[in-house]
Amino acid sequence: MSFASLGLAPALLRALDEQGYSSPTPIQAAAIPPALEGHDLLAGAQTGTGKTAAFALPLLQRLYVDHAAPAAPKRPRALVLTPTRELAAQIHANVRDYGKHVRVRATTIFGGVGMQPQVDALRRGVEILIATPGRLIDHIGQRSVDLSHVEVLVLDEADRMLDMGFLPALKRILGHLPRQNRITWLFSATFATEIKALASQFMREPIEIQIAKPNSVAATVTHRVHPVDGARKRDLLLHLLEGDASQTLVFGRTKHGADKLAKMLDKAGLRAAAIHGNKSQNQRTRALADFKSGKINVLVATDIAARGLDIDQLPRVINHDLPMVAEDYVHRIGRTGRAGAQGLAISLVCHEEEGLLRDIRRLLKQDIEIAPVAGFEPAQPLRTDDGARARPQQKPQQKPQQHKPRQNAAPPRHGHAGKTAAPAKSASRKRRRRGGGQRSTQPA
Ligand code: AMP
């Protein structure tokens, strides 16, 4: 199938050609024709499926080709709501790329940066406004934007906006949009009941499109769990990163934890940075750019900050901690194994996280290989799916691999504040006491 057969205008086809896109992805093929016809859409698609172009292309066609009319100051003709700043910036960049030959006037509005440049951009007039809900409410409050002329509303990653507690903000924003003659396109990785409720309240007979099965991950991703004691996770992470220099996105559960991890890795001589909600927009943009250009090799992120990071062909994701919600595992892993490339998803799992691991397995409906790493076996092995413990190792244990700090590196620290590194000896003592250990594999 070609983009031309979807009914897109030549100016957009040219831009797509320049982007090197030869054919539409499934979500684009399914969403673009009904979107061009002006239907409401309820589209189930995850990040990495090409969903941004699926709404950006029909949006550009409607605003700049089919019903071209410059927007009045402060009165955007289209509103794209998205949960994070990174996603907003990413959508803006894509809109600019795809709309290269139609003179797009678009702007982004998100928190963490000054209001005034946003106010100025709105006053100059934009057709497309890409915003996170919180900051948009601020602009509505100070009347720097008037949403009464919005023709198209896009709700991107609607499930995540609800997870992040944006429902009241969304409802307030929706109250400022015209009720009649508005087209709504809602994109969501999952269709939880709340999403359906939102859709039924604010949409007109939407066409439902479901591309990937909900909560499915690419078949090209290998999942692997390294069981480890919580206190030794950092050492194991360092060991894995030192053993394989491929670009890696590391997930931590908290902002503070992500910061500590990035600092620890940096001190150990690995080029690492953290990206999370407490970082300024400049810091986040720089960290992402450095990671994309290869200036840094390891990016430590929290779930929310990682939403919408568009990093092509990322070979490896490491979960230093399992996410509290199993669906977030799918989002994390969505960064690797894209577009048919091979990907590796490693999770460092301690005994306390067994329940979270079980939830993830249930969601994925697949088993995950449990591969203890020599020298890092936990005192208490993880339960496998059938409730049995991982098979104990019969052969004598290899010499445990202990992280050797590099020159100028800080001594390794552990998950629990104040504790110092467990010496290699204590790990082997533990194994002897258990009369063996788990089957060990070398880290990938
Ligand atoms: P998204 O799901 O919108 O975040 O897109 C994921 C990645 O796929 C981005 O890097 C896009 O530039 C890329 N992409 C989107 N559509 C196509 C296409 N039709 N052909 C090739 N790459 C695409």
Side-chain angles (χ1 to χ4, degrees):
M1 187 185 284
S2 67
F3 276 111
S5 68
L6 300 181
L8 291 170
L12 300 177
L13 295 176
R14 208 164 107 217
L16 291 173
D17 194 45
E18 285 162 8
Q19 286 296 305
Y21 295 2
S22 51
S23 54
T25 64
I27 184 69
Q28 292 161 5
I32 292 173
L36 288 175
E37 283 171 15
H39 290 287
D40 279 8
L41 297 181
L42 192 55
Q46 289 160 289
T47 299
T49 55
K51 69 176 168 62
T52 314
F55 64 75
L57 291 167
L59 190 60
L60 290 165
Q61 177 133 341
R62 181 182 174 87
L63 298 183
Y64 297 98
V65 183
D66 294 346
H67 306 277
K74 300 189 194 179
R75 288 183 175 170
R77 294 177 57 204
L79 172 64
V80 181
L81 285 173
T82 190
T84 67
R85 310 162 193 194
E86 279 75 19
L87 260 171
Q90 190 67 51
I91 293 168
H92 192 196
N94 287 355
V95 161
R96 268 200 301 247
D97 287 341
Y98 307 146
K100 214 167 141 193
H101 303 296
V102 291
R103 296 187 183 198
V104 175
R105 289 192 308 167
T107 198
T108 46
I109 276 187
F110 46 68
V113 292
M115 289 281 272
Q116 198 52 43
Q118 299 175 352
V119 172
D120 294 342
L122 289 165
R123 197 179 297 135
R124 282 193 297 272
V126 292
E127 281 77 43
I128 304 177
L129 176 59
I130 304 152
T132 54
R135 178 55 71 92
L136 181 58
I137 294 273
D138 296 343
H139 280 280
I140 292 173
Q142 68 172 53
R143 296 178 195 278
S144 41
V145 67
D146 169 1
L147 300 178
S148 64
H149 285 63
V150 168
E151 299 160 37
V152 185
L153 168 69
V154 180
L155 295 168
D156 182 40
E157 309 234 345
D159 54 338
R160 175 50 56 132
M161 286 200 273
L162 297 195
D163 286 352
M164 288 169 69
F166 283 138
L167 187 60
L170 285 182
K171 286 190 170 164
R172 267 183 72 187
I173 292 167
L174 285 160
H176 288 267
L177 296 171
R179 283 201 158 267
Q180 304 295 322
N181 302 325
R182 188 189 81 211
I183 298 169
T184 306
W185 301 330
L186 184 153
F187 285 76
S188 183
T190 55
F191 284 149
T193 329
E194 300 91 326
I195 304 283
K196 289 270 188 187
L198 193 67
S200 66
Q201 255 179 296
F202 297 103
M203 297 171 80
R204 288 177 289 122
E205 298 170 14
I207 292 185
E208 285 195 33
I209 299 169
Q210 184 70 61
I211 295 305
K213 275 197 289 124
N215 304 321
S216 63
V217 292
T220 48
V221 176
T222 303
H223 304 263
R224 187 171 297 154
V225 162
H226 292 320
V228 61
D229 284 331
R232 297 212 67 208
K233 278 191 175 188
R234 288 178 181 209
D235 277 351
L236 178 52
L237 176 67
L238 198 49
H239 172 77
L240 295 172
L241 292 172
E242 286 185 333
D244 175 352
S246 23
Q247 281 235 309
T248 306
L249 183 59
V250 174
F251 281 94
R253 200 175 291 152
T254 62
K255 296 171 193 170
H256 182 59
D259 259 342
K260 273 171 63 175
L261 279 180
K263 269 193 201 132
M264 181 276 288
L265 297 173
D266 212 47
K267 274 191 186 157
L270 291 160
R271 289 166 299 141
I275 187 163
H276 57 67
N278 281 2
K279 298 271 179 192
S280 72
Q281 188 53 35
N282 279 346
Q283 287 171 316
R284 289 159 67 154
T285 308
R286 194 175 340 114
L288 185 59
D290 287 351
F291 188 57
K292 281 187 173 187
S293 70
K295 203 166 151 194
I296 58 169
N297 229 23
V298 185
L299 189 63
V300 187
T302 54
D303 286 296
I304 287 174
R307 261 321 247 228
L309 293 185
D310 178 25
I311 305 158
D312 282 341
Q313 314 289 359
L314 187 63
R316 186 170 61 168
V317 169
I318 299 184
N319 295 312
H320 178 271
D321 310 297
L322 284 184
M324 297 306 286
V325 180
E327 279 81 5
D328 280 341
Y329 181 86
V330 177
H331 293 303
R332 291 178 177 191
I333 297 321
R335 319 284 149 195
T336 185
R338 283 185 176 199
Q342 293 297 315
L344 181 60
I346 290 179
S347 301
L348 312 188
V349 181
C350 63
H351 173 60
E352 292 75 18
E353 292 171 308
E354 270 180 356
L356 299 176
L357 180 62
R358 196 172 47 238
D359 292 348
I360 291 167
R361 280 174 163 150
R362 279 192 192 141
L363 185 73
L364 297 182
K365 295 197 176 61
Q366 73 178 77
D367 212 354
I368 301 179
E369 178 196 359
I370 299 201
V373 177
F376 293 93
E377 298 87 343
Q380 197 171 4
L382 286 184
R383 277 181 193 281
T384 57
D385 252 358
D386 57 9
R389 301 267 174 202
R391 190 155 53 88
Q393 182 179 281
Q394 299 300 322
K395 288 187 205 146
Q397 183 64 51
Q398 276 179 255
K399 193 170 180 289
Q401 301 187 5
Q402 174 71 5
H403 158 62
K404 285 198 202 80
R406 292 182 181 184
Q407 261 191 335
N408 303 330
R413 282 183 310 195
H414 291 283
H416 303 303
K419 287 195 183 166
T420 49
K425 258 196 316 190
S426 78
S428 52
R429 239 186 267 133
K430 272 179 192 160
R431 269 192 311 282
R432 276 202 301 277
R433 273 207 301 272
R434 288 203 316 273
Q438 290 177 305
R439 182 165 45 97
S440 299
T441 58
Q442 289 304 311

